[in-house]
Amino acid sequence: MPVLDLSVSAVDLTRTICDIPSVSDDETPLADAIEAAVRQLPHLSVHRDGDTIVARTDLGRAQRVVIAGHIDTVPINGNVPTRDIEIEGEPYVWGRGTVDMKAGVAVQLVLAAALAEPRVDITWMWYDHEEVDAARNGLTRLAAARPDLFAADFAILGEPSNGQVEGGCNGTLRAIVRTDGVRAHSARAWVGENAIHKAAPVLVRLAEYRPREIEVDGLVYREGLNAVGISGGIAGNVIPDACEVEVNFRFAPSRSGEQAEQHVRDVFEGFDVEIVDLSPGARPGLDAPLAQEFVASVGAEPRPKYGWTDVARFSAMGVPAVNYGPGDPQLAHHDEERVPVAQIEDVERGLRAWLT
Amino acid sequence: MPVLDLSVSAVDLTRTICDIPSVSDDETPLADAIEAAVRQLPHLSVHRDGDTIVARTDLGRAQRVVIAGHIDTVPINGNVPTRDIEIEGEPYVWGRGTVDMKAGVAVQLVLAAALAEPRVDITWMWYDHEEVDAARNGLTRLAAARPDLFAADFAILGEPSNGQVEGGCNGTLRAIVRTDGVRAHSARAWVGENAIHKAAPVLVRLAEYRPREIEVDGLVYREGLNAVGISGGIAGNVIPDACEVEVNFRFAPSRSGEQAEQHVRDVFEGFDVEIVDLSPGARPGLDAPLAQEFVASVGAEPRPKYGWTDVARFSAMGVPAVNYGPGDPQLAHHDEERVPVAQIEDVERGLRAWLT
C-alpha cells in the first residue's frame, strides 16, 4: 500500500496522489492510503464506508463545516504519471486528476493533518464514484447510511473553480421530444407522413432559443437548452414514422425541478415530451453568515457554477455549499488536464487562513 | 425438384410457383424448375446464367421484344403457402410473391409455352436477386456476360402495375447533408457550437419542399424529396459537433442524374452534401412504335411508374421499356400481399392478344 506523508506541500501531495490511479471502481488503493494516513492524526475521528473516508474534529465549536472532495477520476489516457510542465513561464502539474480533483483533495489532506484546532469543527469527506451514475456516488451511499455525518452549517467542495468561489450550481434536465408519422415507401412518399420533417420546428425552436441569464442571490447563472442527440430513419427507401430529439436543459437554481420541466414542456408545446433525467440545481447559499465570512476571508469574487456538482446534494439537505478548488473546470476530463502550481498554493492559503 | 406444368392456367401456376419459396439467395429450386419446364419447349432456345433463365424464339421476325420478370421475393413472414381468399366478393390469391411478382412470371411462363409462333420474336428472361443490391441483380450479371441477349426493340417487365401499363420510372438519389459544430460540455454550451441546431434549416427546407409533377412523353411523374434518416449526438452532456441528414430524392425521368444531383445541391445550398447513391430514371418510351401498338392492343391507360424498376436498365441500354403486370404495387412486400384473380387473367389476355 502506498504511504501518504501529509506533512509535505499540497503541490507535492497532488503529484503523489495523482500517481496512484483511482479511476471510478478502482479507488480502493488510494482510499486505503488516505484512511491509513488520517488514522494517524489524534485530533480526527475516522469513519469508513466503502471507499469513502470521513474524518471529523470534535472540538465542540459553535459551527461545523463539511469540506469534501471526490477521489476518483475519469479514465486515464496516457496522462499518468504526472509531469511538471511550464506554460508561458508558469509552472503546472500536468496529468489525469490534477484538475478534477486531486489538487483540491491534496489541499484538504494537508490541512486536515495541519489544523488540529481549527476555529470551526470540520467534517472532512473524501469519496468515491463521483464520475459515474449519481446512484453509485459514495455520498449517495453515505447519506443513506449515515445522514448524521452531513449535519453542518456550511459545506465547501474542492471542485475546480480556478481558485475562485463558485456558488451553487445549475440544475440539469434531459428530455426526449418525439414526433411520429406514417411509414411508406419513399417512391410514394405522399402515402406516408415524414416524422423527421415534422421535427423541423423542434430544431428551429432550439436554434432560436435565447437562454436566460438569471441572478440568484447575487450571482448570475447562464442557462442553456440544447439538442444532445437526434435519431430517426428505418431504411434508405422508407419514409420514417418516428424521430427523437434528446434535449438537455441546464437551468438556474432559482427554478425548481418542476418549473424546469414546465419550461421545457412550454418550449416544445405541441410535441410529445418525456423527461428522462432531472437534477435540480443549488442556490449559491452565499447569504449564509459562514459563507459570507468565507468569501471575505479568501478574498475571492463569487461566481456561479454552471455544471452540476455535489453542492446540490448539500443544498438539498439544507446545508449552504460552494465550490472552491484549484484548476480550470474547462480542463476537467481533458487529456491535457493540468493545474497551475500557484492555484494550489492560493487555495491552500485561503482555506488555511479562514479555518485558523 | 418440383415439376412445373405450363399448360395450366396462369392463376394455378401463380399458386404453384408462390408455394416454391424463392427469397433472394434461395432461388435455385424455382430456377431449376423453370429451366426444366422451358427446356421441354422445342420452339425456345434456353440459356442459363446462375439462377437466371433466358428462353428465346428465333423465328426471324422483324422485331424482338424482351419480356422479363424476377423470380425472387422479399422474406416470407407467415404468408406462404398461398391461400384463396375473397374480398368484397372478389377472388384473390394471397401470399408472399403473389404481387411482387410471381403472378406476372406465371403469366409469362404460360405464354412462353403456349405461343410457339408469336408475331414478334420474344426473349423471355426470368431472373434472380432483384430484391437486393443492384450489384447482385441477375440482369446486372447477365448484361456483363451476354449483352447480346438484351438486343430488342421493346421490353415489357411484369412488375405489378394493377394490370395497367406503367411507363418508365422515376430516378432515385440518396445524399447525406452534413452540419458540423464544436464539441463542448453542455453545462457551458456557449463554448461550443451545436451541429444539430444548425441542421434546423435542412429540416425546414425539406418540410417546405413542394415536389413537382413533371410531364414526360405524356405521363405525369410525381417527384419527392424526403429525409430517410437523421443522426447526431455524442452523450447526454455534450454539445454535438456533427449531424447527418440522409435524404432521398425521387426524380422524374426527364432529369438526368447530373441534373438531379444539381437540384439537391441547390436545395441544400450552404450545406455539405455528399451523393451516396444515384440511379437515373427511365423515360416512358411510349413514343416507340411497338410501345404504341402494345398500349393500344391491351387497351390500357398508360400511367407513370414511381418506383425504380429494371425498366431503367433497358432504357439505359436503348430499349424502350414498360411495366405491365398484375397486382397492386402498394401491396408489394406487404404481409397481406394478394393479387386479384381477374388481374392475372386480364394481363394474360392482354399479352396473348398483342403477341398473336
Side-chain angles (χ1 to χ4, degrees):
Chain A
M1 189 183 77
V3 174
L4 300 184
D5 177 359
L6 304 188
S7 69
V8 302
S9 74
V11 177
D12 284 342
L13 191 58
T14 297
R15 292 188 193 96
T16 303
I17 64 176
C18 286
D19 291 345
I20 302 172
S22 57
V23 176
S24 311
D25 278 348
D26 292 313
E27 297 97 329
T28 304
L30 180 55
D32 288 348
I34 290 173
E35 181 187 6
V38 296
R39 284 210 187 271
Q40 306 297 317
L41 303 168
H43 61 280
L44 295 176
S45 61
V46 178
H47 172 80
R48 178 159 180 168
D49 180 291
D51 287 331
T52 291
I53 316 293
V54 181
R56 295 160 49 99
T57 63
D58 275 301
L59 301 165
R61 303 292 192 233
Q63 292 173 304
R64 176 174 289 281
V65 175
V66 170
I67 305 181
H70 65 85
I71 63 171
D72 61 324
T73 69
V74 296
I76 291 165
N77 190 12
N79 50 5
V80 165
T82 52
R83 292 204 310 260
D84 289 325
I85 64 167
E86 274 197 14
I87 297 177
E88 294 175 2
E90 189 178 359
Y92 284 77
V93 184
W94 172 98
R96 175 62 75 233
T98 50
V99 169
D100 193 8
M101 56 166 283
K102 289 183 174 178
V105 168
V107 167
Q108 295 171 359
L109 286 168
V110 164
L111 294 178
L115 304 181
E117 298 214 339
R119 68 181 191 87
V120 290
D121 269 314
I122 304 177
T123 303
W124 303 97
M125 291 182 176
W126 298 288
Y127 60 102
D128 56 287
H129 286 104
E130 193 270 348
E131 296 290 4
V132 290
D133 285 358
R136 305 178 63 207
N137 186 310
L139 294 188
T140 302
R141 203 177 54 235
L142 188 67
R146 292 291 305 272
D148 57 297
L149 292 177
F150 289 77
D153 302 288
F154 185 47
I156 300 168
L157 269 88
E159 291 277 359
S161 61
N162 268 317
Q164 302 300 310
V165 175
E166 293 188 343
C169 68
N170 269 333
T172 179
L173 171 158
R174 279 186 310 119
I176 307 289
V177 184
R178 289 192 176 83
T179 58
D180 58 9
V182 177
R183 210 179 275 207
H185 196 290
S186 64
R188 287 175 292 275
W190 53 91
V191 176
E193 212 177 288
N194 196 313
I196 295 177
H197 296 193
K198 288 166 83 176
V202 176
L203 298 199
V204 169
R205 291 182 204 178
L206 283 164
E208 292 179 348
Y209 186 85
R210 290 292 161 262
R212 293 202 291 168
E213 300 196 341
I214 298 179
E215 189 174 321
V216 182
D217 301 347
L219 297 187
V220 176
Y221 286 83
R222 194 160 169 182
E223 298 191 322
L225 178 64
N226 272 275
V228 289
I230 190 166
S231 63
I234 294 145
N237 60 354
V238 178
I239 301 302
D241 58 355
C243 182
E244 290 193 353
V245 185
E246 181 182 349
V247 300
N248 182 214
F249 181 39
R250 300 284 176 150
F251 55 97
S254 53
R255 298 198 203 247
S256 67
E258 293 68 30
Q259 288 167 336
E261 175 176 342
Q262 191 55 52
H263 180 70
V264 169
R265 292 192 183 281
D266 288 347
V267 169
F268 298 111
E269 202 192 332
F271 291 91
D272 174 33
V273 174
E274 182 194 355
I275 308 296
V276 291
D277 187 37
L278 174 57
S279 300
R283 298 184 72 98
L286 294 173
D287 44 357
L290 262 185
Q292 293 183 341
E293 259 181 57
F294 170 71
V295 170
S297 167
V298 302
E301 176 70 24
R303 297 176 182 178
K305 184 78 174 173
Y306 295 119
W308 194 93
T309 78
D310 276 308
V311 300
R313 177 190 307 277
F314 288 94
S315 179
M317 294 171 95
V319 182
V322 298
N323 297 284
Y324 177 59
D328 179 350
Q330 308 235 25
L331 289 173
H333 305 191
H334 201 289
D335 288 345
E336 297 298 328
E337 194 174 338
R338 58 187 182 264
V339 64
V341 165
Q343 276 190 12
I344 304 176
E345 293 167 344
D346 282 351
V347 168
E348 184 194 339
R349 198 177 305 120
L351 267 180
R352 184 189 293 267
W354 179 60
L355 290 168
T356 52
Chain B
M1 188 184 75
V3 174
L4 300 184
D5 177 358
L6 305 188
S7 69
V8 301
S9 74
V11 177
D12 284 342
L13 191 57
T14 298
R15 292 189 192 95
T16 303
I17 64 176
C18 285
D19 292 344
I20 302 171
S22 58
V23 176
S24 311
D25 278 347
D26 292 312
E27 296 97 330
T28 305
L30 180 55
D32 288 348
I34 291 173
E35 181 187 6
V38 296
R39 283 209 189 272
Q40 306 297 316
L41 304 169
H43 60 281
L44 295 176
S45 62
V46 177
H47 172 81
R48 179 160 179 167
D49 180 292
D51 286 331
T52 292
I53 316 293
V54 182
R56 295 161 49 99
T57 64
D58 275 300
L59 301 165
R61 302 291 193 236
Q63 293 175 304
R64 176 174 288 280
V65 175
V66 170
I67 305 181
H70 66 85
I71 63 171
D72 61 323
T73 69
V74 296
I76 291 164
N77 191 12
N79 49 5
V80 164
T82 52
R83 292 204 311 258
D84 289 326
I85 64 168
E86 272 197 15
I87 297 177
E88 295 176 3
E90 190 179 358
Y92 284 78
V93 184
W94 172 98
R96 175 62 75 231
T98 50
V99 169
D100 194 8
M101 58 168 280
K102 289 183 175 178
V105 168
V107 166
Q108 295 170 359
L109 287 167
V110 164
L111 294 178
L115 305 181
E117 298 214 338
R119 67 181 192 86
V120 291
D121 270 314
I122 305 176
T123 303
W124 303 99
M125 290 182 175
W126 299 288
Y127 60 101
D128 57 286
H129 286 102
E130 193 270 349
E131 296 290 4
V132 290
D133 286 357
R136 304 177 64 208
N137 186 308
L139 293 188
T140 303
R141 202 177 55 234
L142 188 66
R146 292 290 306 273
D148 57 298
L149 292 177
F150 288 77
D153 303 287
F154 185 47
I156 299 169
L157 269 87
E159 292 277 0
S161 61
N162 269 318
Q164 301 301 308
V165 174
E166 293 188 343
C169 68
N170 268 333
T172 179
L173 172 158
R174 279 186 309 120
I176 307 289
V177 184
R178 289 192 176 83
T179 57
D180 58 8
V182 177
R183 210 180 274 206
H185 196 291
S186 64
R188 287 175 291 276
W190 53 90
V191 175
E193 211 176 288
N194 195 313
I196 296 177
H197 296 194
K198 288 167 82 176
V202 176
L203 297 198
V204 168
R205 291 183 204 178
L206 283 164
E208 292 179 348
Y209 186 84
R210 290 293 159 263
R212 292 202 292 169
E213 300 196 341
I214 298 179
E215 189 173 321
V216 183
D217 300 348
L219 298 187
V220 176
Y221 287 82
R222 194 161 171 181
E223 299 191 320
L225 178 63
N226 273 275
V228 289
I230 190 165
S231 63
I234 294 145
N237 61 354
V238 178
I239 301 302
D241 58 355
C243 182
E244 290 193 353
V245 185
E246 182 181 350
V247 300
N248 182 213
F249 181 40
R250 300 283 176 152
F251 55 96
S254 54
R255 299 197 202 247
S256 67
E258 294 69 32
Q259 288 167 336
E261 174 175 343
Q262 191 55 53
H263 180 70
V264 170
R265 292 192 183 281
D266 288 347
V267 169
F268 298 111
E269 203 192 331
F271 291 91
D272 173 32
V273 174
E274 182 193 356
I275 308 296
V276 291
D277 188 36
L278 174 57
S279 299
R283 298 183 72 98
L286 294 173
D287 45 356
L290 262 183
Q292 294 183 341
E293 261 182 56
F294 170 71
V295 170
S297 168
V298 301
E301 177 70 25
R303 297 176 182 178
K305 184 80 175 173
Y306 295 119
W308 194 93
T309 78
D310 275 307
V311 301
R313 177 190 307 276
F314 287 94
S315 180
M317 294 171 96
V319 182
V322 298
N323 297 283
Y324 178 59
D328 179 350
Q330 309 235 25
L331 289 174
H333 305 190
H334 201 288
D335 288 345
E336 298 297 328
E337 193 173 340
R338 58 188 182 263
V339 64
V341 165
Q343 275 190 12
I344 304 176
E345 293 167 343
D346 281 351
V347 168
E348 185 193 343
R349 198 176 306 120
L351 267 180
R352 184 189 293 267
W354 179 60
L355 290 167
T356 53

